[in-house]
Structure formats: structure tokens, C-alpha cells
């Protein structure tokens, strides 16, 4: 029997696991190579983790289609129905409501580890998917009908398609000789999980202060994830504060609408960088998710873009497979790159504009705030923005 796999996916994060689930569900023979351990079970009463993502409508649909959504417990997902953005004074603002698009909600905030665990639970149900943990690629040899991927444990995998889903520092991307364009925004984000006095409403909001945005992502009940962007120096100084001093600093700096904070439950900080692969495909190889692009997290779209990559790539690869064509051939891969690169470039451009307008010189910031106030009154423009953010 031919031992050539239909696909090898490197990286079992949320995006790689979504690709593996889609291909496995279509009856393809797939190996998922993950450098770390398989995701552990999360007890119902475990505290919320710091890494939280917004899943838009398109991402949620993908999770439903690959059979993973039902593994995300209701107690650990928080629907949101409004998105608001304001200037530093909060006088000028824009509000988007799901009801305006006749939708029940915009999406859900869910911990990354819960999404990942749900996808792996689904993978365990798919007989065509093999997971290989604590392993990574050391060499990739492209070929005419298949390529060879050598792993650090000595195994050699023959496959029609390699999918690089191994995150921002992708080794697969390096093995394929794909360069990136990088930019450091000179900002750092402090992420905290807090317990609030009031239950968090079904709204996610962002305030554009001159040093950088401040954002509130609601979590179920009296919990929220706060993101506070600033210079690296200021962020690292805040991160070093004790819990009580940090609680007071947040109450002081964040808008009054947050209400009182009872406790700071966790904290971490990240440098804010952009990274974009110069190409998404090579013969028999495609990049998805953060391996292909890392964008400014201010609009919470990084994972959503990755999920759209997963959807676009698997749709094209499965179509080729079902029509007895080569799933790692030229047609599905170039089609994928042509579909996804312009979408990512558009999102990067939008994030650049937000970043430069709202952290730029005072006249630019005022122009940005005025623009927000005008856009609030333009129903057509608002709808277009909403549809884009939903991945529709
Ligand atoms: C502060 C912050 C806030 C964010 N908020 C949001 C948000 O609200 N909404 C949103 O949509 N996005 C958000 N993002 C972005 C989002 O977190 C990422 O886009 C997403 O996690 C990328 O998923 P991924 O599966 O592509 O990569 P990763 O999550 O990085 O997964 C990569 C996987 O590959 C594995 N791996 C790595 N190297 C190897 C190797 N050599 N061999 C084998 N396996 C390997 C890793 O162990 C991991 O499992 C945020 C990002 C930041 C920094």
C-alpha cells in the first residue's frame, strides 16, 4: 500500500487543528505534528486563562462545520452583541450592534485553550487523523508527486501536502525558504484577567487613549479580560506592580464604565509586532494562521484571519481530493494564496490606519475621533465594517 499521506499539518494550535479536522472529516489521511503536549482537559470550575480570542461568525461556522463547536462548554463562552469604540474623552464614539444585521450576536469570546481542546477532541473521533506530539520537522524535501518531511525523532513522512500552522516563529516557513516582512510597533500590551463588581455586559469596547488603546473583552459572569497597550517601558513597569497596585492603576486609567474591580487574577504582556510571509505557498506546501501573518491585535482579528485561511485552504484541497485530483497540486494552492493574501493585506492596512491615526500626533488623533463620530451616523459604512469584521 502507498504510505503517502494526503496531508501533514505542522502545528496543532487552533488553526492547524481546524485544518486537520476539516481534512480528516472529508476522509483524507492526515498527520498532525505538534511540538508540545496534547491539550489537557479543562475542569468546569478552572479560572479563566489569560489568552482569550473573539470568534467571529465565520470562525464559529467553521468550528461547527468541523464538529468542534459542541465541545466548547456554554459556561466558558461569552456571546457579545455590541462593539463600541471611543476616543480618550469618550465623547466621540461608534457603536455596532448585531441586531442591526439581524443577528443574535457578533460572536463569542472564548479562551484559546478551550478552542484548541475542543478541536483536538474532535480529531480523536476522526480515524483518518494521526496526531504526533513532542515532534517537529527538521528537513523538507519537495518533489514532483509528493514531498518528504523529516521529523526530529527520526521519522520520515511522505505527503502530498505540507501545511505550516506552527505559529509566528514557523520553522516550516523557514524550511520552505519563505521570508517575512516584519515591523515592531514599539508598543507592548498588558493583558489582565479581572473579577469585576458588576457582571460584564454583552458588549466589548475599546478606548483609544493617546498612548495606545485600552480594551475590555467580556468573559462569562463577573469576569473580563483587559488589554492595555502602551510603550514597552510603561507596560513592563505596570506588569511588575503587586496585585493591589495594579488593580488601582486599572481603575484609575480605564473608563468609569468598567465599574469597580474586585481582583486582578492574572497578567502577562506581549510585544506588538507585525509579520507577513512574502508568499503563502510553495509547491506542495501552504502556510496558514500566524505562520503566514501576525497582525496588530487591536481589532481582535488575528485568529479569525487564521480560521479563514483554514476554511479557504481546506475547501480547495478537499475539492481536489474529491475529484480525484492532486490535493497538494498547483491549482488548490495558488487558488488559496490568491484568495487569502489580499484579504490579509486589507486587514493589515486597516490596522496600520487605526494604529497611526490613534497613536499619532494630536491633530491626527482629533481627525480620527471626528471620523468615528461621522461614521457613527453613516449606516451604510457601519454595516460594511460590521460585515467585514464578521468575516462575511
Ligand atoms: C495580545 C494578543 C491578543 C489577541 N487577541 C485576539 C483576539 O481577540 N481575537 C483573535 O482572533 N486573535 C487574537 N490574537 C491573535 C491570536 O492569538 C493568534 O492569531 C492565534 O493564536 C494564531 O493561531 P495559530 O494556530 O496560527 O498559531 P499558534 O497559536 O501560535 O499555534 C502554533 C502551534 O504550533 C506548535 N508549534 C510551534 N512550532 C512548532 C514546530 N517547530 N513543530 C511542531 N509544532 C510547532 C505550537 O506548539 C502551537 O501548538 C491575539 C494575539 C495577541 C498577541
Amino acid at each position: 500500500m502507498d504510505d503517502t499521506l494526503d496531508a501533514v499539518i505542522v502545528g496543532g494550535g487552533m488553526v492547524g487543528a481546524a485544518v486537520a479536522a476539516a481534512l480528516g472529516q472529508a476522509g483524507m489521511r492526515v498527520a498532525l505534528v505538534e511540538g508540545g503536549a496534547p491539550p489537557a482537559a479543562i475542569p468546569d470550575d478552572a479560572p479563566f486563562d489569560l489568552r482569550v480570542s473573539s470568534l467571529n461568525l465565520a470562525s464559529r461556522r467553521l468550528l461547527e462545520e468541523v464538529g468542534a463547536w459542541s465541545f466548547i462548554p456554554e459556561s466558558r463562552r461569552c456571546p457579545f452583541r455590541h462593539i463600541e469604540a471611543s476616543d480618550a474623552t469618550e465623547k466621540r464614539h461608534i457603536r455596532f450592534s448585531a441586531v442591526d444585521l439581524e443577528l443574535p450576536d457578533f460572536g463569542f469570546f472564548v479562551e484559546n485553550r478551550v478552542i484548541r481542546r475542543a478541536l483536538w477532541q474532535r480529531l480523536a473521533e476522526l480515524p483518518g487523523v494521526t496526531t504526533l506530539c513532542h515532534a517537529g520537522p527538521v528537513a523538507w524535501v519537495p518533489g514532483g508527486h509528493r514531498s518528504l518531511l523529516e521529523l526530529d525523532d527520526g521519522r520520515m513522512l511522505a505527503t502530498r501536502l505540507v501545511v505550516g500552522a506552527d505559529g509566528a516563529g514557523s520553522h516550516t516557513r523557514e524550511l520552505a525558504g519563505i521570508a517575512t516582512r516584519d515591523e515592531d510597533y514599539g508598543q507592548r500590551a498588558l493583558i489582565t484577567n479581572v473579577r469585576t463588581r458588576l457582571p460584564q455586559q454583552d458588549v466589548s469596547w475599546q478606548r483609544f487613549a493617546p498612548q495606545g488603546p485600552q480594551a475590555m473583552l467580556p468573559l462569562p459572569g463577573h469576569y473580563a479580560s483587559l488589554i492595555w497597550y502602551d510603550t514597552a517601558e510603561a507596560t513592563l513597569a505596570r506588569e511588575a506592580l503587586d496585585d493591589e497596585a495594579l488593580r488601582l492603576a486599572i481603575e484609575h486609567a480605564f473608563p468609569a464604565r468598567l465599574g469597580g474591580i474586585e481582583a486582578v487574577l492574572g497578567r502577562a504582556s506581549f510585544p506588538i509586532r507585525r509579520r507577513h510571509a512574502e508568499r503563502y505557498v510553495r509547491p506542495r506546501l501552504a502556510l496558514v494562521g500566524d505562520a503566514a501573518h501576525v497582525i496588530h491585535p487591536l481589532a481582535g482579528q488575528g485568529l479569525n484571519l487564521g480560521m479563514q485561511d483554514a476554511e479557504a485552504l481546506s475547501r480547495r484541497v478537499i475539492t481536489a481530493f474529491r475529484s480525484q485530483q492532486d490535493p497538494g497540486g498547483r491549482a488548490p494552492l495558488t487558488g488559496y494564496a490568491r484568495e487569502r493574501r489580499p484579504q490579509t493585506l486589507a486587514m493589515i492596512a486597516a490596522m496600520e490606519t487605526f494604529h497611526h491615526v490613534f497613536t499619532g500626533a494630536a491633530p491626527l488623533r482629533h481627525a480620527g475621533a471626528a471620523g468615528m463620530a461621522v461614521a457613527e451616523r453613516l449606516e451604510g459604512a457601519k454595516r460594511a465594517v460590521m460585515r467585514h469584521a464578521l468575516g462575511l
Side-chain angles (χ1 to χ4, degrees), residues 259-273:
I261 292 177
E262 285 181 352
V264 172
L265 305 170
R267 69 186 75 185
S269 76
F270 301 85
I272 305 300
R273 297 194 182 115

Side-chain angles (χ1 to χ4, degrees), residues 19-49:
V19 176
L23 303 189
Q25 185 170 269
M28 296 177 69
R29 286 177 57 227
V30 173
L32 178 68
V33 177
E34 163 57 39
I42 301 152
D44 285 347
D45 59 351
F48 290 108
D49 192 54

Side-chain angles (χ1 to χ4, degrees), residues 36-385:
I42 301 152
D44 285 347
D45 59 351
F48 290 108
D49 192 54
L50 276 170
R51 295 296 304 263
V52 170
S53 291
S54 62
L55 288 172
N56 67 12
L57 204 61
S59 298
R60 180 200 164 158
R61 267 189 207 150
L62 177 67
L63 290 172
E64 281 170 349
E65 278 163 21
V66 302
W69 181 253
S70 56
F71 288 111
I72 298 181
E74 229 176 297
S75 60
R76 300 199 83 95
R77 58 195 200 209
C78 183
F80 62 107
R81 300 181 177 88
H82 312 279
I83 304 171
E84 292 181 9
S86 69
D87 70 347
T89 66
E90 291 205 274
K91 284 193 186 122
R92 286 181 280 204
H93 69 278
I94 186 162
R95 180 182 173 96
F96 302 100
S97 294
V99 70
D100 294 341
L101 288 181
E102 292 169 16
L103 293 170
D105 52 63
F106 275 129
F108 288 79
F109 284 103
V110 188
E111 294 152 89
N112 291 2
R113 62 178 183 167
V114 171
I115 302 169
R116 185 166 177 253
R117 167 81 184 167
L119 281 158
W120 277 65
Q121 280 177 281
R122 175 60 180 145
L123 293 180
E125 297 178 338
L126 298 171
V129 179
T130 307
T131 50
L132 307 172
C133 289
H134 305 291
V138 287
W140 174 62
V141 186
H145 299 290
R146 59 184 206 170
S147 68
L148 297 174
L149 196 71
E150 187 184 348
L151 303 187
D152 51 10
D153 59 10
R155 263 182 287 206
M156 187 72 89
L157 304 176
T159 178
R160 299 197 199 291
L161 172 67
V162 171
V163 179
D166 43 352
S170 172
H171 191 46
T172 310
R173 189 180 60 218
E174 257 174 56
L175 291 175
I178 299 177
T180 58
R181 287 188 184 201
D182 298 0
E183 184 177 324
D184 193 323
Y185 288 104
Q187 275 190 331
R188 212 173 161 89
L190 177 66
I191 303 189
T192 55
N193 271 1
V194 296
R195 192 170 64 241
T196 50
R197 293 227 166 85
L198 303 170
Q200 291 310 306
Q201 310 84 343
D202 52 359
V203 49
S204 174
W205 51 255
Q206 183 138 190
R207 179 170 79 150
F208 289 93
Q211 318 85 291
Q214 297 163 336
M216 193 281 290
L217 320 181
L219 292 173
H222 285 240
Y223 296 94
S225 168
L226 305 178
I227 310 186
W228 189 352
Y229 299 83
D230 208 326
T231 59
E233 206 182 11
T235 301
L236 291 170
R238 273 180 207 125
E239 193 181 2
L241 294 173
D242 65 37
D243 282 350
E244 180 55 11
L246 182 56
R247 188 185 73 76
L248 290 171
I250 293 170
E251 280 196 343
H252 179 70
F254 270 63
R257 62 183 306 181
L258 180 61
I261 292 177
E262 285 181 352
V264 172
L265 305 170
R267 69 186 75 185
S269 76
F270 301 85
I272 305 300
R273 297 194 182 115
R274 185 187 78 205
R275 170 167 284 180
H276 198 199
E278 289 192 340
R279 49 201 303 168
Y280 287 7
V281 295
R282 283 268 188 224
R284 305 216 161 272
L285 182 141
L287 301 178
V288 289
D290 276 19
H293 43 71
V294 177
I295 64 165
H296 198 306
L298 72 82
Q301 291 297 324
L303 173 63
N304 288 320
L305 274 185
M307 287 297 189
Q308 284 174 261
D309 295 344
E311 189 280 328
L313 180 67
S314 42
R315 172 172 26 87
R316 287 169 184 278
V317 167
I318 290 168
T319 303
F321 174 74
R322 287 195 173 137
S323 52
Q324 322 273 304
Q325 308 211 326
D326 185 350
R330 205 180 136 82
L333 298 193
T334 50
Y336 161 70
R338 283 199 192 123
E339 179 178 341
R340 293 305 304 151
R341 256 185 88 82
Q343 296 283 336
T344 305
L345 282 167
M347 185 63 79
I348 288 175
M351 295 306 101
E352 293 296 276
T353 309
F354 268 115
H355 172 75
H356 292 298
V357 166
F358 287 102
T359 59
L364 206 53
R365 288 203 307 274
H366 292 310
M372 196 146 58
V374 171
E376 168 65 12
R377 284 179 235 121
L378 291 177
E379 277 307 316
K382 272 178 73 176
R383 273 168 195 272
V385 172

